[in-house]
Amino acid sequence: MNKIIVAIDGYSSCGKSTIAKALARYAGYTYVDTGAMYRAIALYTLRHNLTAQADIIAALPDIQVGFIQVALPEGEQAQHVTLNGEDVEAFIRTLEVGNRASEISTIKEVRAFLVAQQQAMGVAKGIVMDGRDIGTVVFPDAELKLFLTASPEVRAQRRFDELVEKGQQPVFEDVLADVNDRDYRDTHRAESPLRQAEDAIVVDNSHLTREQQMQVIYEVFDKITNNQ
Ligand code: DC
């Protein structure tokens, strides 16, 4: 059975990473969270006070983004993103970094910089990658493309719960406004806007439990890999 590439795209906070991680574990594949790569660059620009596009582009050669596996107490492994060798996972999941990531991801040179690295990660296949442009730009020939969606309210509630769990004190209306703003930016930018690949399978998980959703996805995955 040959390994395939699984491309997962969709709006922010619609559970892409949870699904991608579960599928990667099921398949024995490598998981790559491309949003974390944009967030790492966003963190760099915040730390170095870079706001002008030209300054951000000029800084790209000084930025190295990578991933490390970290052992969790329960014997599980987690993937953390690194910025110039530093584990920055703890700093990248804030609204501020998310918004900056959405902004810097509109810069053509930033996208080209990360897309090249993402394509290199998929050379040996056996990869589940999630993001906004994976099925359309990074791996247009991916054997399995999923496009995830859920209503803005459902996604805002999930994001709100996540932030509370992390000890932050969000206001629901702000989180919802943020989800809507980010959707608008992600779908309207000139460079690789978020859109559904024509051959993607659409999964609207507003009213699906995680188990129901994974069952559908595992079945599709098995069907495709059995024919490889
Ligand atoms: O999935 P996320 O929320 O961690 O992504 C953060 C931002 O990065 C998001 O607003 C859009 C951008 N992004 C992108 O443009 N392309 C990707 N492949 C992944 C993320």
Side-chain angles (χ1 to χ4, degrees):
M1 204 160 60
N2 288 325
K3 290 188 170 180
I4 66 166
I5 290 180
V6 183
I8 302 185
D9 291 301
Y11 294 96
S12 65
S13 304
C14 63
K16 286 190 302 292
S17 66
T18 310
I19 289 157
K21 273 183 217 161
L23 182 57
R25 188 173 312 157
Y26 175 78
Y29 283 12
T30 302
Y31 163 59
V32 180
D33 171 1
T34 62
M37 300 171 84
Y38 287 91
R39 285 171 183 266
I41 294 187
L43 181 67
Y44 184 96
T45 67
L46 286 167
R47 283 180 171 178
H48 291 80
N49 241 333
L50 302 177
T51 46
Q53 273 206 15
D55 294 342
I56 295 170
I57 294 166
L60 289 175
D62 301 327
I63 302 177
Q64 273 192 337
V65 178
F67 290 101
I68 49 165
Q69 296 296 324
V70 177
L72 296 179
E74 314 87 58
E76 298 263 306
Q77 293 245 314
Q79 189 183 64
H80 286 189
V81 70
T82 59
L83 173 62
N84 291 341
E86 175 195 351
D87 180 346
V88 291
E89 190 64 35
F91 309 116
I92 61 163
R93 307 284 170 194
T94 62
L95 282 180
E96 186 190 23
V97 174
N99 280 328
R100 176 59 74 91
S102 178
E103 284 162 22
I104 58 106
S105 69
T106 62
I107 305 171
K108 189 169 81 189
E109 289 80 358
V110 169
R111 302 204 70 83
F113 178 75
L114 288 182
V115 167
Q117 296 177 27
Q118 291 153 7
Q119 288 173 332
M121 291 173 186
V123 167
K125 300 209 175 188
I127 196 164
V128 179
M129 188 174 279
D130 77 22
R132 303 292 189 290
D133 59 341
I134 313 305
T136 50
V137 175
V138 181
F139 296 122
D141 297 327
E143 290 84 351
L144 172 55
K145 298 179 186 177
L146 298 171
F147 189 86
L148 303 183
T149 156
S151 73
E153 290 73 19
V154 166
R155 289 185 286 127
Q157 186 62 52
R158 290 177 188 158
R159 185 93 196 103
F160 179 88
D161 294 344
E162 261 173 40
L163 292 169
V164 169
E165 208 170 292
K166 284 185 185 141
Q168 299 178 31
Q169 294 176 326
V171 175
F172 181 79
E173 284 66 30
D174 293 349
V175 180
L176 180 59
D178 187 72
V179 164
N180 283 322
D181 284 355
R182 211 179 301 176
D183 283 0
Y184 186 86
R185 272 206 300 271
D186 288 351
T187 51
H188 286 78
R189 66 179 178 224
E191 285 305 320
S192 314
L194 169 65
R195 65 180 174 81
Q196 186 194 318
E198 270 172 26
D199 49 351
I201 297 170
V202 181
V203 181
D204 181 336
N205 63 27
S206 302
H207 305 293
L208 290 181
T209 64
R210 194 174 153 229
E211 287 67 31
Q212 288 167 333
Q213 174 173 245
M214 288 321 300
Q215 202 172 337
V216 173
I217 293 171
Y218 292 154
E219 272 172 29
V220 178
F221 175 83
D222 287 343
K223 207 162 137 201
I224 291 177
T225 49
N226 285 335
N227 291 328
Q228 288 299 306

